[in-house]
Amino acid sequence: MRTLHHDLVVDTCLFSPLQLQPRALFAQSWNGLARWFAANVCSFPSLLGDHHFGMVFLGIHLAYHEPVGFFDADVIGQEVTVRLLRQGSRLELVSRYVGRGRECGDGRLAAEVRCTLCPVAITEPRSLAAQPAPFPEDIQRCFAEDERGTSTAPRVVPALLEEISRGVPLGERQTPFTIHRHMAEVADQWSFSEIPCLCEASREHLVLEKVGRAPELGQALALPLRTVDVELARPYYSFDRGVTSTQAASLGGKLAFVHRLGATLPGTPVHGIVVERYG
């Protein structure tokens, strides 16, 4: 498989006081996919404007590995691989982040982001409205033989929800939001890189409100995240109003949060589910 290598020079906005920011990792992974496509297939403007295809996210798994803080590295090396799956109807993106220099020396694996995407055919050029469809043959031919597969990664969120439901409830909260254009992309729909921000806002509101009655919640402010799992069902568009319904639980002494991204209108389907785990 062809691996794209790119160095991110460390700056303060890449990090929280605890670790690499989830939002930064999500955004850089998308940019890494654009870089890989530009090197091996075509640029994103050509993909959308000439081939009339785009991609949407179905699932995202972020796993933190070795500790890497702001003062630990001079650069964060990004390693991107891409696979075409299920006869061109799915795409797998893996983006690994390795700290180098200073305390990290020759390399320390900080995090990995693994994404499943669905190709979509653009049916209306002005609005970029689209519907799921396999990539056409001229795009599929750009992938090497070892960059093709038959199956996608299994869904993990349903099993995580079942496991967390057996934990000790620590509190819940609903946090409303509006998708303004600074949270959107060129198609005027939400950027997936904003998902960690919506969840973090709801999580920290819940912790600050409930930590006096449930001291275990304080771990969410003191400890780094271990994993973030996302399953998406439908997009938001600019100026949509939504709500993050957040539940916290302790499972074997380890903290977990479940965020359901919904709409303010009753009976509207959930847009996505996010599971954050600590410890």
Side-chain angles (χ1 to χ4, degrees):
M1 294 177 67
R2 293 167 291 184
T3 302
L4 181 143
H5 297 271
H6 174 66
D7 280 348
L8 308 172
V9 177
V10 165
D11 68 60
T12 52
C13 291
L14 283 174
F15 289 84
S16 74
L18 300 174
Q19 61 194 166
L20 282 160
Q21 289 271 16
R23 185 197 184 282
L25 293 176
F26 277 33
Q28 291 296 335
S29 296
W30 184 233
N31 185 259
L33 178 60
R35 287 175 178 272
W36 193 96
F37 256 69
N40 300 302
V41 183
C42 65
S43 70
F44 270 18
S46 176
L47 180 67
L48 274 70
D50 302 329
H51 296 276
H52 307 296
F53 263 80
M55 290 172 278
V56 297
F57 285 85
L58 299 178
I60 307 152
H61 173 71
L62 162 60
Y64 286 96
H65 294 276
E66 301 176 75
V68 175
F70 171 71
F71 292 104
D72 293 334
D74 291 316
V75 299
I76 303 296
Q78 183 185 31
E79 303 170 0
V80 179
T81 58
V82 179
R83 285 200 309 153
L84 196 64
L85 306 173
R86 288 175 43 179
Q87 292 78 50
S89 65
R90 293 290 185 271
L91 195 83
E92 179 188 68
L93 162 68
V94 178
S95 191
R96 302 170 78 246
Y97 297 89
V98 180
R100 294 201 306 272
R102 296 179 65 85
E103 298 300 319
C104 290
D106 292 335
R108 185 187 297 175
L109 178 60
E112 180 179 273
V113 179
R114 187 176 295 269
C115 307
T116 300
L117 300 99
C118 176
V120 292
I122 295 170
T123 57
E124 210 293 304
R126 287 180 62 87
S127 67
L128 297 181
Q131 60 185 22
F135 278 130
E137 281 301 318
D138 58 342
I139 291 179
Q140 294 196 38
R141 282 194 296 270
C142 296
F143 288 80
E145 192 61 34
D146 62 353
E147 293 167 348
R148 298 168 180 264
T150 57
S151 61
T152 56
R155 293 174 61 197
V156 299
V157 168
L160 291 176
L161 296 178
E162 175 64 26
E163 180 183 3
I164 293 169
S165 71
R166 298 193 292 269
V168 179
L170 298 177
E172 56 184 75
R173 188 185 201 279
Q174 290 197 331
T175 305
F177 60 84
T178 300
I179 301 296
H180 292 289
R181 276 187 164 163
H182 71 279
M183 302 167 68
E185 40 96 297
V186 68
D188 238 3
Q189 67 181 30
W190 71 330
S191 168
F192 91 106
S193 61
E194 296 295 330
I195 292 170
C197 302
L198 295 173
C199 295
E200 185 166 338
S202 189
R203 169 177 21 99
E204 292 190 349
H205 275 303
L206 189 156
V207 170
L208 294 173
E209 288 177 358
K210 310 287 188 182
V211 69
R213 284 173 284 175
E216 304 99 311
L217 288 171
Q219 297 176 49
L221 300 179
L223 298 178
L225 275 166
R226 180 166 60 92
T227 61
V228 180
D229 286 279
V230 182
E231 187 171 285
L232 298 175
R234 55 203 299 264
Y236 291 100
Y237 295 93
S238 292
F239 313 118
D240 279 354
R241 294 184 177 183
V243 61
T244 307
S245 299
T246 299
Q247 298 172 308
S250 176
L251 190 65
K254 296 181 179 180
L255 193 61
F257 291 84
V258 175
H259 309 276
R260 290 176 171 84
L261 300 169
T264 54
L265 294 175
T268 305
V270 171
H271 291 249
I273 299 175
V274 182
V275 178
E276 299 177 311
R277 289 179 290 171
Y278 291 79

